[in-house]
PDB file of all heavy atoms in Angstrom:
ATOM      1  N   PHE A1588      11.899 -18.797   7.908  1.00 98.00           N
ATOM      2  CA  PHE A1588      12.383 -19.114   6.582  1.00 98.00           C
ATOM      3  C   PHE A1588      13.238 -20.365   6.593  1.00 98.00           C
ATOM      4  O   PHE A1588      13.064 -21.273   5.767  1.00 98.00           O
ATOM      5  CB  PHE A1588      13.190 -17.946   6.004  1.00 98.00           C
ATOM      6  CG  PHE A1588      12.355 -16.736   5.743  1.00 98.00           C
ATOM      7  CD1 PHE A1588      12.891 -15.464   5.777  1.00 98.00           C
ATOM      8  CD2 PHE A1588      10.973 -16.878   5.436  1.00 98.00           C
ATOM      9  CE1 PHE A1588      12.127 -14.345   5.524  1.00 98.00           C
ATOM     10  CE2 PHE A1588      10.208 -15.728   5.170  1.00 98.00           C
ATOM     11  CZ  PHE A1588      10.772 -14.474   5.196  1.00 98.00           C
ATOM     12  N   LYS A1589      14.103 -20.443   7.556  1.00 97.00           N
ATOM     13  CA  LYS A1589      14.960 -21.628   7.657  1.00 97.00           C
ATOM     14  C   LYS A1589      14.120 -22.874   7.970  1.00 97.00           C
ATOM     15  O   LYS A1589      14.325 -23.924   7.364  1.00 97.00           O
ATOM     16  CB  LYS A1589      15.998 -21.445   8.722  1.00 97.00           C
ATOM     17  CG  LYS A1589      17.293 -20.791   8.196  1.00 97.00           C
ATOM     18  CD  LYS A1589      18.401 -20.788   9.228  1.00 97.00           C
ATOM     19  CE  LYS A1589      18.103 -19.826  10.331  1.00 97.00           C
ATOM     20  NZ  LYS A1589      19.263 -19.557  11.225  1.00 97.00           N
ATOM     21  N   ALA A1590      13.173 -22.713   8.862  1.00 97.00           N
ATOM     22  CA  ALA A1590      12.295 -23.847   9.184  1.00 97.00           C
ATOM     23  C   ALA A1590      11.507 -24.335   7.981  1.00 97.00           C
ATOM     24  O   ALA A1590      11.426 -25.544   7.730  1.00 97.00           O
ATOM     25  CB  ALA A1590      11.326 -23.437  10.330  1.00 97.00           C
ATOM     26  N   ASP A1591      11.030 -23.387   7.181  1.00 97.00           N
ATOM     27  CA  ASP A1591      10.254 -23.750   5.989  1.00 97.00           C
ATOM     28  C   ASP A1591      11.150 -24.526   5.021  1.00 97.00           C
ATOM     29  O   ASP A1591      10.664 -25.496   4.403  1.00 97.00           O
ATOM     30  CB  ASP A1591       9.734 -22.499   5.312  1.00 97.00           C
ATOM     31  CG  ASP A1591       8.476 -21.971   6.000  1.00 97.00           C
ATOM     32  OD1 ASP A1591       7.858 -22.709   6.771  1.00 97.00           O
ATOM     33  OD2 ASP A1591       8.111 -20.833   5.780  1.00 97.00           O
ATOM     34  N   LEU A1592      12.408 -24.128   4.876  1.00 97.00           N
ATOM     35  CA  LEU A1592      13.283 -24.824   3.978  1.00 97.00           C
ATOM     36  C   LEU A1592      13.527 -26.293   4.419  1.00 97.00           C
ATOM     37  O   LEU A1592      13.588 -27.192   3.605  1.00 97.00           O
ATOM     38  CB  LEU A1592      14.615 -24.105   3.864  1.00 97.00           C
ATOM     39  CG  LEU A1592      14.528 -22.740   3.138  1.00 97.00           C
ATOM     40  CD1 LEU A1592      15.875 -22.065   3.067  1.00 97.00           C
ATOM     41  CD2 LEU A1592      13.925 -22.884   1.746  1.00 97.00           C
ATOM     42  N   LYS A1593      13.635 -26.426   5.752  1.00 96.00           N
ATOM     43  CA  LYS A1593      13.772 -27.797   6.261  1.00 96.00           C
ATOM     44  C   LYS A1593      12.518 -28.640   5.933  1.00 96.00           C
ATOM     45  O   LYS A1593      12.632 -29.774   5.432  1.00 96.00           O
ATOM     46  CB  LYS A1593      13.921 -27.750   7.805  1.00 96.00           C
ATOM     47  CG  LYS A1593      15.374 -27.851   8.250  1.00 96.00           C
ATOM     48  CD  LYS A1593      15.450 -28.040   9.743  1.00 96.00           C
ATOM     49  CE  LYS A1593      16.835 -27.653  10.269  1.00 96.00           C
ATOM     50  NZ  LYS A1593      16.886 -27.624  11.754  1.00 96.00           N
ATOM     51  N   THR A1594      11.376 -28.045   6.234  1.00 96.00           N
ATOM     52  CA  THR A1594      10.111 -28.752   5.936  1.00 96.00           C
ATOM     53  C   THR A1594      10.020 -29.091   4.429  1.00 96.00           C
ATOM     54  O   THR A1594       9.549 -30.152   4.036  1.00 96.00           O
ATOM     55  CB  THR A1594       8.935 -27.894   6.361  1.00 96.00           C
ATOM     56  OG1 THR A1594       9.096 -27.432   7.663  1.00 96.00           O
ATOM     57  CG2 THR A1594       7.647 -28.730   6.264  1.00 96.00           C
ATOM     58  N   ARG A1595      10.476 -28.161   3.629  1.00 94.00           N
ATOM     59  CA  ARG A1595      10.445 -28.384   2.194  1.00 94.00           C
ATOM     60  C   ARG A1595      11.251 -29.614   1.838  1.00 94.00           C
ATOM     61  O   ARG A1595      10.806 -30.467   1.052  1.00 94.00           O
ATOM     62  CB  ARG A1595      11.007 -27.154   1.462  1.00 94.00           C
ATOM     63  CG  ARG A1595      10.819 -27.225  -0.022  1.00 94.00           C
ATOM     64  CD  ARG A1595      11.728 -26.268  -0.769  1.00 94.00           C
ATOM     65  NE  ARG A1595      12.117 -26.861  -2.059  1.00 94.00           N
ATOM     66  CZ  ARG A1595      11.636 -26.528  -3.233  1.00 94.00           C
ATOM     67  NH1 ARG A1595      10.805 -25.533  -3.315  1.00 94.00           N
ATOM     68  NH2 ARG A1595      11.998 -27.148  -4.305  1.00 94.00           N
ATOM     69  N   LYS A1596      12.446 -29.682   2.365  1.00 92.00           N
ATOM     70  CA  LYS A1596      13.320 -30.835   2.071  1.00 92.00           C
ATOM     71  C   LYS A1596      12.643 -32.138   2.504  1.00 92.00           C
ATOM     72  O   LYS A1596      12.623 -33.098   1.738  1.00 92.00           O
ATOM     73  CB  LYS A1596      14.646 -30.640   2.810  1.00 92.00           C
ATOM     74  CG  LYS A1596      15.750 -30.122   1.880  1.00 92.00           C
ATOM     75  CD  LYS A1596      17.103 -30.141   2.552  1.00 92.00           C
ATOM     76  CE  LYS A1596      18.095 -29.358   1.720  1.00 92.00           C
ATOM     77  NZ  LYS A1596      19.146 -28.704   2.531  1.00 92.00           N
ATOM     78  N   ARG A1597      12.154 -32.148   3.700  1.00 91.00           N
ATOM     79  CA  ARG A1597      11.445 -33.353   4.211  1.00 91.00           C
ATOM     80  C   ARG A1597      10.286 -33.750   3.280  1.00 91.00           C
ATOM     81  O   ARG A1597      10.196 -34.911   2.861  1.00 91.00           O
ATOM     82  CB  ARG A1597      10.903 -33.128   5.629  1.00 91.00           C
ATOM     83  CG  ARG A1597      11.891 -33.410   6.729  1.00 91.00           C
ATOM     84  CD  ARG A1597      11.151 -33.777   8.018  1.00 91.00           C
ATOM     85  NE  ARG A1597      10.006 -32.908   8.288  1.00 91.00           N
ATOM     86  CZ  ARG A1597      10.112 -31.706   8.879  1.00 91.00           C
ATOM     87  NH1 ARG A1597      11.269 -31.273   9.297  1.00 91.00           N
ATOM     88  NH2 ARG A1597       9.030 -30.979   9.082  1.00 91.00           N
ATOM     89  N   THR A1598       9.472 -32.767   2.946  1.00 88.00           N
ATOM     90  CA  THR A1598       8.308 -33.039   2.155  1.00 88.00           C
ATOM     91  C   THR A1598       8.687 -33.555   0.762  1.00 88.00           C
ATOM     92  O   THR A1598       8.163 -34.538   0.305  1.00 88.00           O
ATOM     93  CB  THR A1598       7.493 -31.751   2.009  1.00 88.00           C
ATOM     94  OG1 THR A1598       7.116 -31.254   3.321  1.00 88.00           O
ATOM     95  CG2 THR A1598       6.207 -31.999   1.219  1.00 88.00           C
ATOM     96  N   VAL A1599       9.622 -32.857   0.177  1.00 83.00           N
ATOM     97  CA  VAL A1599      10.067 -33.281  -1.178  1.00 83.00           C
ATOM     98  C   VAL A1599      10.665 -34.698  -1.171  1.00 83.00           C
ATOM     99  O   VAL A1599      10.355 -35.534  -2.011  1.00 83.00           O
ATOM    100  CB  VAL A1599      11.060 -32.275  -1.770  1.00 83.00           C
ATOM    101  CG1 VAL A1599      11.704 -32.832  -3.022  1.00 83.00           C
ATOM    102  CG2 VAL A1599      10.333 -30.969  -2.089  1.00 83.00           C
ATOM    103  N   ALA A1600      11.478 -34.964  -0.158  1.00 83.00           N
ATOM    104  CA  ALA A1600      12.080 -36.284  -0.050  1.00 83.00           C
ATOM    105  C   ALA A1600      11.037 -37.363   0.096  1.00 83.00           C
ATOM    106  O   ALA A1600      11.099 -38.426  -0.576  1.00 83.00           O
ATOM    107  CB  ALA A1600      13.030 -36.302   1.162  1.00 83.00           C
ATOM    108  N   ARG A1601      10.066 -37.097   0.871  1.00 80.00           N
ATOM    109  CA  ARG A1601       9.007 -38.070   1.105  1.00 80.00           C
ATOM    110  C   ARG A1601       8.245 -38.334  -0.191  1.00 80.00           C
ATOM    111  O   ARG A1601       7.962 -39.479  -0.547  1.00 80.00           O
ATOM    112  CB  ARG A1601       8.008 -37.554   2.204  1.00 80.00           C
ATOM    113  CG  ARG A1601       6.841 -38.482   2.485  1.00 80.00           C
ATOM    114  CD  ARG A1601       6.166 -38.120   3.786  1.00 80.00           C
ATOM    115  NE  ARG A1601       6.008 -36.677   3.972  1.00 80.00           N
ATOM    116  CZ  ARG A1601       5.050 -35.942   3.405  1.00 80.00           C
ATOM    117  NH1 ARG A1601       4.216 -36.538   2.568  1.00 80.00           N
ATOM    118  NH2 ARG A1601       4.971 -34.641   3.663  1.00 80.00           N
ATOM    119  N   ILE A1602       7.960 -37.266  -0.924  1.00 75.00           N
ATOM    120  CA  ILE A1602       7.224 -37.420  -2.181  1.00 75.00           C
ATOM    121  C   ILE A1602       8.049 -38.178  -3.193  1.00 75.00           C
ATOM    122  O   ILE A1602       7.527 -39.123  -3.864  1.00 75.00           O
ATOM    123  CB  ILE A1602       6.874 -36.053  -2.777  1.00 75.00           C
ATOM    124  CG1 ILE A1602       5.860 -35.339  -1.871  1.00 75.00           C
ATOM    125  CG2 ILE A1602       6.305 -36.198  -4.157  1.00 75.00           C
ATOM    126  CD1 ILE A1602       5.608 -33.910  -2.217  1.00 75.00           C
ATOM    127  N   LEU A1603       9.326 -37.878  -3.313  1.00 71.00           N
ATOM    128  CA  LEU A1603      10.163 -38.577  -4.281  1.00 71.00           C
ATOM    129  C   LEU A1603      10.302 -40.044  -3.954  1.00 71.00           C
ATOM    130  O   LEU A1603      10.376 -40.908  -4.864  1.00 71.00           O
ATOM    131  CB  LEU A1603      11.517 -37.896  -4.386  1.00 71.00           C
ATOM    132  CG  LEU A1603      11.495 -36.510  -5.103  1.00 71.00           C
ATOM    133  CD1 LEU A1603      12.887 -35.939  -5.104  1.00 71.00           C
ATOM    134  CD2 LEU A1603      10.995 -36.716  -6.533  1.00 71.00           C
ATOM    135  N   LYS A1604      10.396 -40.323  -2.667  1.00 71.00           N
ATOM    136  CA  LYS A1604      10.633 -41.702  -2.234  1.00 71.00           C
ATOM    137  C   LYS A1604       9.373 -42.547  -2.470  1.00 71.00           C
ATOM    138  O   LYS A1604       9.455 -43.632  -2.997  1.00 71.00           O
ATOM    139  CB  LYS A1604      10.988 -41.699  -0.735  1.00 71.00           C
ATOM    140  CG  LYS A1604      11.389 -43.085  -0.205  1.00 71.00           C
ATOM    141  CD  LYS A1604      11.690 -42.991   1.277  1.00 71.00           C
ATOM    142  CE  LYS A1604      11.410 -44.306   1.975  1.00 71.00           C
ATOM    143  NZ  LYS A1604      11.136 -44.118   3.416  1.00 71.00           N
TER     144      LYS A1604
END
Side-chain angles (χ1 to χ4, degrees):
Chain A
F1588 293 153
K1589 270 189 289 191
D1591 281 344
L1592 291 180
K1593 261 190 200 171
T1594 310
R1595 189 198 146 105
K1596 260 188 192 149
R1597 272 206 316 276
T1598 303
V1599 168
R1601 179 163 43 78
I1602 293 170
L1603 286 178
K1604 186 180 151 206

